[in-house]
Amino acid sequence: MKIVVTGAESFVGRYLIPLCIEQGHHVVGLDAVPPSFAGGLVCDITSSDVADLIPDGTDVLVHLAAISRDPDCRANPKLAWDVNVGGTVNLIAQAKSRNVKQVVFASSEWVYGDVKNDAVQTEEATLDIARIRSEYAATKMAGEAVVRLAVESGDLPSASILRFGIIYAARRENWSAVEALVNNVLKKDVITVGCLGTARRFIHVADIVNGIMASFGRPGFEVLNLSGDHLVTLEEIIETAKRVSGRSPKVEESQPGQASVRNPVNDKIKSTLDWEPSVPIEAGIRGLVEYFKTDA
């Protein structure tokens, strides 16, 4: 397959591209920063020149590129909308001109907006802009609409929207709660959290990239939650990290009884694609403990 990946130097991109190459795909990686691998190209996804970098008849364009940190989007909303929405509009136009067969769009569980702790987020839910509380989530909601309309109008043959859960894995910055808490268990004697009952469907980056690749070649239009297999509380993360590391820091709650729970279930992607998470939370935490000890 001919694969184009935008955001090639992103956290997910750096895991996805080597796996695609290993499996024999021809990969072109696009990013705003210099490439770290052969086949990587510097580009601006908001420019029409990007068409020159997309091979004609590309099988899959994986669109990861985005201003993805909430603080960055909040600090410069215009840039966030220009890149996340305007860049997506431009890529779709260039994809059409280059006869791209499928777009895989990296979205986020945050498009569900504010949710109740006992609610379950499924792909059939109607998204409500009034429940959105971040610029990033708003841009992803708009990006999804751009992709959907392109398929419905015939500008794209097919597209898969993947709503990522909260991703974690060994990295030096932009941590989720998993990396942050494991690091704190290793380095602090006292850990302060909001509420130990706060829970998410955390998902290892290896399972994210396998989910992306499982969507290659899908026909039509679909929306899929790409999330972990079960809710994991902050307490479970801390207790697992303590058990794995042999450390026993004191844990204090600053907001006991005020848990925040988000539950984007992955039933649809498991039944639709030949995919399921393969990295249990304990295995992921063991890897983080080893990483932080080695990196110290």
Side-chain angles (χ1 to χ4, degrees):
M1 279 184 149
K2 290 188 286 187
I3 311 295
V4 174
V5 179
T6 71
E9 296 300 318
S10 67
F11 181 49
V12 174
R14 291 196 302 271
Y15 274 83
L16 174 63
I17 288 173
L19 187 58
C20 287
I21 293 172
E22 180 184 313
Q23 295 194 8
H25 300 301
H26 173 75
V27 182
V28 174
L30 308 179
D31 206 294
V33 301
S36 60
F37 68 97
L41 301 169
V42 176
C43 80
D44 176 358
I45 63 169
T46 67
S47 169
S48 60
D49 293 341
V50 73
D52 298 332
L53 308 179
I54 300 174
D56 189 59
T58 287
D59 294 290
V60 185
L61 190 159
V62 182
H63 183 24
L64 302 174
I67 308 295
S68 58
R69 293 180 67 250
D70 244 352
D72 296 334
C73 292
R74 195 174 305 116
N76 195 338
K78 183 180 184 305
L79 179 63
W81 282 85
D82 286 348
V83 173
N84 295 4
V85 183
T88 300
V89 171
N90 182 57
L91 278 170
I92 295 301
Q94 308 317 321
K96 178 183 179 183
S97 73
R98 301 300 289 165
N99 301 303
V100 172
K101 298 172 185 176
Q102 180 193 17
V103 167
V104 175
F105 180 73
S107 188
S108 166
E109 69 163 75
W110 294 106
V111 298
Y112 293 111
D114 284 347
V115 297
K116 295 180 179 180
N117 283 354
D118 61 353
V120 173
Q121 292 80 60
T122 69
E123 296 86 346
E124 287 70 34
T126 300
L127 303 184
D128 183 357
I129 191 67
R131 294 166 61 182
I132 296 297
R133 294 292 180 266
S134 79
E135 287 82 1
Y136 172 68
T139 64
K140 282 300 178 181
M141 182 185 286
E144 285 194 14
V146 169
V147 176
R148 174 179 57 79
L149 290 169
V151 175
E152 290 177 354
S153 68
D155 287 343
L156 277 180
S158 68
S160 297
I161 304 286
L162 302 181
R163 293 175 178 163
F164 293 172
I166 307 302
I167 305 172
Y168 76 97
R171 50 180 163 176
R172 295 187 175 183
E173 57 186 4
N174 298 333
W175 290 343
S176 76
V178 181
E179 297 98 324
L181 289 174
V182 171
N183 187 62
N184 286 346
V185 167
L186 292 173
K187 297 182 178 179
K188 295 185 176 182
D189 294 324
V190 179
I191 300 173
T192 301
V193 299
C195 178
L196 289 170
T198 288
R200 300 284 187 269
R201 279 181 173 253
F202 296 104
I203 180 168
H204 195 276
V205 70
D207 288 326
I208 286 284
V209 299
N210 285 331
I212 292 171
M213 295 187 69
S215 71
F216 288 179
R218 296 284 298 171
F221 177 80
E222 62 189 354
V223 178
L224 301 168
N225 288 338
L226 185 50
S227 60
D229 248 353
H230 66 277
L231 286 168
V232 177
T233 65
L234 301 189
E235 182 174 27
E236 182 179 348
I237 296 167
I238 292 170
E239 292 305 315
T240 302
K242 287 165 66 174
R243 184 173 65 254
V244 169
S245 67
R247 292 263 302 157
S248 297
K250 180 180 178 182
V251 180
E252 298 178 348
E253 289 181 286
S254 61
Q255 298 175 310
Q258 297 184 41
S260 164
V261 179
R262 300 180 66 85
N263 192 15
V265 295
N266 63 11
D267 297 346
K268 184 177 178 181
I269 193 170
K270 289 171 70 175
S271 64
T272 302
L273 308 183
D274 184 19
W275 175 91
E276 62 179 60
S278 62
V279 184
I281 190 66
E282 179 163 342
I285 288 174
R286 285 186 181 279
L288 287 174
V289 169
E290 293 174 6
Y291 170 77
F292 286 129
K293 284 183 174 180
T294 302
D295 196 50

mmCIF file of all heavy atoms in Angstrom, residues 90-126:
data_model
loop_
_atom_site.group_PDB
_atom_site.id
_atom_site.type_symbol
_atom_site.label_atom_id
_atom_site.label_comp_id
_atom_site.label_asym_id
_atom_site.label_seq_id
_atom_site.Cartn_x
_atom_site.Cartn_y
_atom_site.Cartn_z
ATOM 1 N N ASN A 90 -7.925 21.685 3.470
ATOM 2 C CA ASN A 90 -6.948 21.697 2.383
ATOM 3 C C ASN A 90 -6.494 20.290 2.015
ATOM 4 O O ASN A 90 -6.405 19.945 0.826
ATOM 5 C CB ASN A 90 -5.733 22.540 2.784
ATOM 6 C CG ASN A 90 -4.698 22.635 1.672
ATOM 7 O OD1 ASN A 90 -4.996 23.070 0.562
ATOM 8 N ND2 ASN A 90 -3.485 22.207 1.970
ATOM 9 N N LEU A 91 -6.223 19.464 3.010
ATOM 10 C CA LEU A 91 -5.780 18.092 2.728
ATOM 11 C C LEU A 91 -6.835 17.300 1.975
ATOM 12 O O LEU A 91 -6.512 16.522 1.066
ATOM 13 C CB LEU A 91 -5.424 17.378 4.026
ATOM 14 C CG LEU A 91 -4.039 17.658 4.592
ATOM 15 C CD1 LEU A 91 -3.921 17.074 5.987
ATOM 16 C CD2 LEU A 91 -2.947 17.078 3.682
ATOM 17 N N ILE A 92 -8.103 17.509 2.334
ATOM 18 C CA ILE A 92 -9.170 16.795 1.634
ATOM 19 C C ILE A 92 -9.216 17.209 0.169
ATOM 20 O O ILE A 92 -9.368 16.374 -0.732
ATOM 21 C CB ILE A 92 -10.537 17.053 2.313
ATOM 22 C CG1 ILE A 92 -10.546 16.471 3.728
ATOM 23 C CG2 ILE A 92 -11.667 16.464 1.485
ATOM 24 C CD1 ILE A 92 -10.289 14.991 3.817
ATOM 25 N N ALA A 93 -9.053 18.508 -0.078
ATOM 26 C CA ALA A 93 -9.052 18.999 -1.461
ATOM 27 C C ALA A 93 -7.883 18.406 -2.244
ATOM 28 O O ALA A 93 -8.043 17.973 -3.399
ATOM 29 C CB ALA A 93 -8.983 20.521 -1.472
ATOM 30 N N GLN A 94 -6.709 18.376 -1.615
ATOM 31 C CA GLN A 94 -5.537 17.830 -2.299
ATOM 32 C C GLN A 94 -5.638 16.310 -2.440
ATOM 33 O O GLN A 94 -5.169 15.735 -3.423
ATOM 34 C CB GLN A 94 -4.249 18.218 -1.544
ATOM 35 C CG GLN A 94 -4.088 19.688 -1.238
ATOM 36 C CD GLN A 94 -4.456 20.593 -2.398
ATOM 37 O OE1 GLN A 94 -4.158 20.293 -3.564
ATOM 38 N NE2 GLN A 94 -5.104 21.717 -2.099
ATOM 39 N N ALA A 95 -6.247 15.667 -1.477
ATOM 40 C CA ALA A 95 -6.454 14.214 -1.570
ATOM 41 C C ALA A 95 -7.329 13.879 -2.763
ATOM 42 O O ALA A 95 -7.088 12.907 -3.494
ATOM 43 C CB ALA A 95 -7.076 13.689 -0.277
ATOM 44 N N LYS A 96 -8.363 14.694 -2.972
ATOM 45 C CA LYS A 96 -9.234 14.476 -4.127
ATOM 46 C C LYS A 96 -8.442 14.621 -5.420
ATOM 47 O O LYS A 96 -8.568 13.795 -6.340
ATOM 48 C CB LYS A 96 -10.395 15.459 -4.115
ATOM 49 C CG LYS A 96 -11.324 15.322 -5.301
ATOM 50 C CD LYS A 96 -12.430 16.373 -5.278
ATOM 51 C CE LYS A 96 -13.339 16.238 -6.505
ATOM 52 N NZ LYS A 96 -14.381 17.295 -6.544
ATOM 53 N N SER A 97 -7.602 15.662 -5.503
ATOM 54 C CA SER A 97 -6.834 15.907 -6.732
ATOM 55 C C SER A 97 -5.808 14.816 -7.000
ATOM 56 O O SER A 97 -5.400 14.609 -8.138
ATOM 57 C CB SER A 97 -6.133 17.270 -6.655
ATOM 58 O OG SER A 97 -5.034 17.241 -5.755
ATOM 59 N N ARG A 98 -5.392 14.108 -5.935
ATOM 60 C CA ARG A 98 -4.384 13.055 -6.080
ATOM 61 C C ARG A 98 -4.998 11.657 -6.023
ATOM 62 O O ARG A 98 -4.295 10.658 -5.911
ATOM 63 C CB ARG A 98 -3.320 13.200 -4.975
ATOM 64 C CG ARG A 98 -2.613 14.550 -4.993
ATOM 65 C CD ARG A 98 -1.887 14.793 -6.305
ATOM 66 N NE ARG A 98 -0.720 13.938 -6.426
ATOM 67 C CZ ARG A 98 -0.062 13.715 -7.550
ATOM 68 N NH1 ARG A 98 -0.482 14.256 -8.687
ATOM 69 N NH2 ARG A 98 0.997 12.933 -7.566
ATOM 70 N N ASN A 99 -6.321 11.589 -6.105
ATOM 71 C CA ASN A 99 -7.023 10.297 -6.163
ATOM 72 C C ASN A 99 -6.724 9.394 -4.968
ATOM 73 O O ASN A 99 -6.531 8.174 -5.106
ATOM 74 C CB ASN A 99 -6.655 9.562 -7.468
ATOM 75 C CG ASN A 99 -7.015 10.372 -8.695
ATOM 76 O OD1 ASN A 99 -8.164 10.746 -8.876
ATOM 77 N ND2 ASN A 99 -6.018 10.668 -9.525
ATOM 78 N N VAL A 100 -6.691 10.012 -3.780
ATOM 79 C CA VAL A 100 -6.499 9.231 -2.550
ATOM 80 C C VAL A 100 -7.741 8.381 -2.301
ATOM 81 O O VAL A 100 -8.872 8.849 -2.398
ATOM 82 C CB VAL A 100 -6.241 10.176 -1.353
ATOM 83 C CG1 VAL A 100 -6.229 9.392 -0.042
ATOM 84 C CG2 VAL A 100 -4.908 10.914 -1.550
ATOM 85 N N LYS A 101 -7.527 7.119 -1.953
ATOM 86 C CA LYS A 101 -8.640 6.176 -1.817
ATOM 87 C C LYS A 101 -9.320 6.234 -0.448
ATOM 88 O O LYS A 101 -10.516 5.969 -0.330
ATOM 89 C CB LYS A 101 -8.142 4.754 -2.088
ATOM 90 C CG LYS A 101 -7.592 4.571 -3.507
ATOM 91 C CD LYS A 101 -6.934 3.210 -3.678
ATOM 92 C CE LYS A 101 -6.280 3.096 -5.047
ATOM 93 N NZ LYS A 101 -5.542 1.815 -5.198
ATOM 94 N N GLN A 102 -8.561 6.552 0.597
ATOM 95 C CA GLN A 102 -9.129 6.549 1.952
ATOM 96 C C GLN A 102 -8.383 7.546 2.826
ATOM 97 O O GLN A 102 -7.157 7.683 2.727
ATOM 98 C CB GLN A 102 -9.025 5.157 2.587
ATOM 99 C CG GLN A 102 -9.601 5.073 4.007
ATOM 100 C CD GLN A 102 -9.200 3.789 4.722
ATOM 101 O OE1 GLN A 102 -8.270 3.103 4.314
ATOM 102 N NE2 GLN A 102 -9.891 3.460 5.805
ATOM 103 N N VAL A 103 -9.134 8.235 3.678
ATOM 104 C CA VAL A 103 -8.542 9.081 4.714
ATOM 105 C C VAL A 103 -8.865 8.476 6.073
ATOM 106 O O VAL A 103 -10.006 8.082 6.332
ATOM 107 C CB VAL A 103 -9.066 10.535 4.643
ATOM 108 C CG1 VAL A 103 -8.704 11.310 5.910
ATOM 109 C CG2 VAL A 103 -8.512 11.242 3.419
ATOM 110 N N VAL A 104 -7.850 8.355 6.913
ATOM 111 C CA VAL A 104 -8.040 7.966 8.305
ATOM 112 C C VAL A 104 -7.771 9.213 9.140
ATOM 113 O O VAL A 104 -6.644 9.731 9.147
ATOM 114 C CB VAL A 104 -7.104 6.816 8.722
ATOM 115 C CG1 VAL A 104 -7.256 6.518 10.210
ATOM 116 C CG2 VAL A 104 -7.387 5.562 7.899
ATOM 117 N N PHE A 105 -8.794 9.706 9.802
ATOM 118 C CA PHE A 105 -8.712 10.974 10.522
ATOM 119 C C PHE A 105 -8.604 10.726 12.020
ATOM 120 O O PHE A 105 -9.461 10.073 12.615
ATOM 121 C CB PHE A 105 -9.949 11.822 10.229
ATOM 122 C CG PHE A 105 -9.967 13.154 10.935
ATOM 123 C CD1 PHE A 105 -9.132 14.181 10.536
ATOM 124 C CD2 PHE A 105 -10.827 13.372 11.994
ATOM 125 C CE1 PHE A 105 -9.146 15.414 11.181
ATOM 126 C CE2 PHE A 105 -10.859 14.597 12.648
ATOM 127 C CZ PHE A 105 -10.013 15.623 12.239
ATOM 128 N N ALA A 106 -7.536 11.254 12.621
ATOM 129 C CA ALA A 106 -7.326 11.114 14.059
ATOM 130 C C ALA A 106 -8.168 12.139 14.796
ATOM 131 O O ALA A 106 -7.869 13.330 14.787
ATOM 132 C CB ALA A 106 -5.850 11.297 14.394
ATOM 133 N N SER A 107 -9.227 11.667 15.437
ATOM 134 C CA SER A 107 -10.063 12.532 16.251
ATOM 135 C C SER A 107 -9.826 12.185 17.724
ATOM 136 O O SER A 107 -8.801 11.590 18.074
ATOM 137 C CB SER A 107 -11.537 12.383 15.865
ATOM 138 O OG SER A 107 -12.328 13.351 16.524
ATOM 139 N N SER A 108 -10.753 12.554 18.579
ATOM 140 C CA SER A 108 -10.529 12.430 20.008
ATOM 141 C C SER A 108 -11.827 12.147 20.756
ATOM 142 O O SER A 108 -12.908 12.583 20.336
ATOM 143 C CB SER A 108 -9.928 13.736 20.531
ATOM 144 O OG SER A 108 -9.963 13.811 21.930
ATOM 145 N N GLU A 109 -11.702 11.444 21.878
ATOM 146 C CA GLU A 109 -12.866 11.225 22.728
ATOM 147 C C GLU A 109 -13.428 12.541 23.261
ATOM 148 O O GLU A 109 -14.583 12.601 23.689
ATOM 149 C CB GLU A 109 -12.519 10.324 23.904
ATOM 150 C CG GLU A 109 -11.589 10.945 24.932
ATOM 151 C CD GLU A 109 -11.604 10.191 26.250
ATOM 152 O OE1 GLU A 109 -11.010 9.102 26.321
ATOM 153 O OE2 GLU A 109 -12.186 10.717 27.216
ATOM 154 N N TRP A 110 -12.659 13.613 23.218
ATOM 155 C CA TRP A 110 -13.122 14.896 23.742
ATOM 156 C C TRP A 110 -14.238 15.511 22.914
ATOM 157 O O TRP A 110 -14.885 16.469 23.355
ATOM 158 C CB TRP A 110 -11.948 15.865 23.893
ATOM 159 C CG TRP A 110 -10.987 15.403 24.947
ATOM 160 C CD1 TRP A 110 -9.748 14.851 24.745
ATOM 161 C CD2 TRP A 110 -11.181 15.406 26.367
ATOM 162 N NE1 TRP A 110 -9.164 14.512 25.948
ATOM 163 C CE2 TRP A 110 -10.029 14.851 26.956
ATOM 164 C CE3 TRP A 110 -12.221 15.826 27.199
ATOM 165 C CZ2 TRP A 110 -9.890 14.701 28.337
ATOM 166 C CZ3 TRP A 110 -12.082 15.683 28.571
ATOM 167 C CH2 TRP A 110 -10.934 15.130 29.123
ATOM 168 N N VAL A 111 -14.496 14.985 21.710
ATOM 169 C CA VAL A 111 -15.616 15.526 20.921
ATOM 170 C C VAL A 111 -16.959 15.220 21.580
ATOM 171 O O VAL A 111 -17.973 15.844 21.234
ATOM 172 C CB VAL A 111 -15.621 14.990 19.467
ATOM 173 C CG1 VAL A 111 -14.349 15.406 18.733
ATOM 174 C CG2 VAL A 111 -15.807 13.477 19.425
ATOM 175 N N TYR A 112 -16.985 14.282 22.539
ATOM 176 C CA TYR A 112 -18.237 14.007 23.250
ATOM 177 C C TYR A 112 -18.573 15.106 24.253
ATOM 178 O O TYR A 112 -19.692 15.141 24.782
ATOM 179 C CB TYR A 112 -18.158 12.648 23.959
ATOM 180 C CG TYR A 112 -18.092 11.475 23.010
ATOM 181 C CD1 TYR A 112 -16.939 10.706 22.888
ATOM 182 C CD2 TYR A 112 -19.187 11.139 22.217
ATOM 183 C CE1 TYR A 112 -16.873 9.629 22.010
ATOM 184 C CE2 TYR A 112 -19.132 10.064 21.343
ATOM 185 C CZ TYR A 112 -17.974 9.310 21.247
ATOM 186 O OH TYR A 112 -17.909 8.249 20.359
ATOM 187 N N GLY A 113 -17.609 15.998 24.515
ATOM 188 C CA GLY A 113 -17.864 17.120 25.403
ATOM 189 C C GLY A 113 -18.052 16.700 26.839
ATOM 190 O O GLY A 113 -17.599 15.637 27.272
ATOM 191 N N ASP A 114 -18.725 17.558 27.616
ATOM 192 C CA ASP A 114 -19.018 17.235 29.011
ATOM 193 C C ASP A 114 -19.933 16.011 29.082
ATOM 194 O O ASP A 114 -20.937 15.943 28.372
ATOM 195 C CB ASP A 114 -19.716 18.414 29.693
ATOM 196 C CG ASP A 114 -18.753 19.538 30.028
ATOM 197 O OD1 ASP A 114 -17.530 19.311 29.963
ATOM 198 O OD2 ASP A 114 -19.224 20.641 30.351
ATOM 199 N N VAL A 115 -19.582 15.064 29.931
ATOM 200 C CA VAL A 115 -20.404 13.863 30.080
ATOM 201 C C VAL A 115 -20.598 13.569 31.560
ATOM 202 O O VAL A 115 -19.792 13.969 32.403
ATOM 203 C CB VAL A 115 -19.757 12.641 29.391
ATOM 204 C CG1 VAL A 115 -19.641 12.868 27.895
ATOM 205 C CG2 VAL A 115 -18.380 12.335 29.988
ATOM 206 N N LYS A 116 -21.670 12.856 31.867
ATOM 207 C CA LYS A 116 -21.906 12.431 33.250
ATOM 208 C C LYS A 116 -21.046 11.208 33.565
ATOM 209 O O LYS A 116 -20.720 10.421 32.677
ATOM 210 C CB LYS A 116 -23.385 12.096 33.451
ATOM 211 C CG LYS A 116 -24.318 13.306 33.297
ATOM 212 C CD LYS A 116 -25.770 12.915 33.518
ATOM 213 C CE LYS A 116 -26.679 14.121 33.390
ATOM 214 N NZ LYS A 116 -28.125 13.769 33.593
ATOM 215 N N ASN A 117 -20.703 11.067 34.822
ATOM 216 C CA ASN A 117 -19.818 9.977 35.220
ATOM 217 C C ASN A 117 -20.372 8.596 34.902
ATOM 218 O O ASN A 117 -19.620 7.657 34.654
ATOM 219 C CB ASN A 117 -19.501 10.072 36.711
ATOM 220 C CG ASN A 117 -18.475 11.151 37.016
ATOM 221 O OD1 ASN A 117 -17.914 11.760 36.111
ATOM 222 N ND2 ASN A 117 -18.235 11.398 38.290
ATOM 223 N N ASP A 118 -21.694 8.462 34.916
ATOM 224 C CA ASP A 118 -22.287 7.149 34.653
ATOM 225 C C ASP A 118 -22.672 6.963 33.182
ATOM 226 O O ASP A 118 -23.277 5.951 32.816
ATOM 227 C CB ASP A 118 -23.502 6.919 35.540
ATOM 228 C CG ASP A 118 -24.609 7.952 35.314
ATOM 229 O OD1 ASP A 118 -24.377 8.926 34.566
ATOM 230 O OD2 ASP A 118 -25.697 7.778 35.894
ATOM 231 N N ALA A 119 -22.313 7.921 32.337
ATOM 232 C CA ALA A 119 -22.666 7.848 30.913
ATOM 233 C C ALA A 119 -21.663 6.988 30.147
ATOM 234 O O ALA A 119 -20.504 6.846 30.538
ATOM 235 C CB ALA A 119 -22.729 9.240 30.304
ATOM 236 N N VAL A 120 -22.134 6.414 29.057
ATOM 237 C CA VAL A 120 -21.280 5.652 28.142
ATOM 238 C C VAL A 120 -21.267 6.378 26.809
ATOM 239 O O VAL A 120 -22.324 6.735 26.280
ATOM 240 C CB VAL A 120 -21.818 4.214 27.964
ATOM 241 C CG1 VAL A 120 -21.041 3.479 26.887
ATOM 242 C CG2 VAL A 120 -21.741 3.461 29.288
ATOM 243 N N GLN A 121 -20.070 6.611 26.269
ATOM 244 C CA GLN A 121 -19.960 7.341 25.010
ATOM 245 C C GLN A 121 -19.816 6.354 23.848
ATOM 246 O O GLN A 121 -18.819 5.634 23.742
ATOM 247 C CB GLN A 121 -18.760 8.299 25.032
ATOM 248 C CG GLN A 121 -18.911 9.466 25.988
ATOM 249 C CD GLN A 121 -18.614 9.102 27.438
ATOM 250 O OE1 GLN A 121 -17.503 8.670 27.746
ATOM 251 N NE2 GLN A 121 -19.595 9.250 28.318
ATOM 252 N N THR A 122 -20.839 6.319 22.987
ATOM 253 C CA THR A 122 -20.818 5.460 21.805
ATOM 254 C C THR A 122 -20.777 6.307 20.548
ATOM 255 O O THR A 122 -21.124 7.491 20.561
ATOM 256 C CB THR A 122 -22.061 4.551 21.756
ATOM 257 O OG1 THR A 122 -23.221 5.360 21.508
ATOM 258 C CG2 THR A 122 -22.243 3.782 23.062
ATOM 259 N N GLU A 123 -20.373 5.669 19.467
ATOM 260 C CA GLU A 123 -20.224 6.381 18.205
ATOM 261 C C GLU A 123 -21.548 6.869 17.648
ATOM 262 O O GLU A 123 -21.575 7.765 16.785
ATOM 263 C CB GLU A 123 -19.550 5.461 17.177
ATOM 264 C CG GLU A 123 -18.136 5.048 17.535
ATOM 265 C CD GLU A 123 -18.064 3.814 18.437
ATOM 266 O OE1 GLU A 123 -19.104 3.410 19.015
ATOM 267 O OE2 GLU A 123 -16.964 3.248 18.563
ATOM 268 N N GLU A 124 -22.648 6.309 18.109
ATOM 269 C CA GLU A 124 -23.965 6.710 17.602
ATOM 270 C C GLU A 124 -24.478 7.982 18.277
ATOM 271 O O GLU A 124 -25.498 8.549 17.854
ATOM 272 C CB GLU A 124 -24.978 5.581 17.828
ATOM 273 C CG GLU A 124 -24.788 4.382 16.895
ATOM 274 C CD GLU A 124 -23.533 3.583 17.211
ATOM 275 O OE1 GLU A 124 -23.167 3.489 18.408
ATOM 276 O OE2 GLU A 124 -22.908 3.083 16.262
ATOM 277 N N ALA A 125 -23.787 8.462 19.301
ATOM 278 C CA ALA A 125 -24.217 9.667 20.013
ATOM 279 C C ALA A 125 -24.183 10.882 19.096
ATOM 280 O O ALA A 125 -23.285 11.022 18.256
ATOM 281 C CB ALA A 125 -23.322 9.909 21.223
ATOM 282 N N THR A 126 -25.168 11.765 19.231
ATOM 283 C CA THR A 126 -25.170 13.028 18.496
ATOM 284 C C THR A 126 -24.279 14.015 19.225
ATOM 285 O O THR A 126 -24.473 14.289 20.414
ATOM 286 C CB THR A 126 -26.601 13.599 18.404
ATOM 287 O OG1 THR A 126 -27.433 12.654 17.716
ATOM 288 C CG2 THR A 126 -26.608 14.916 17.655
#
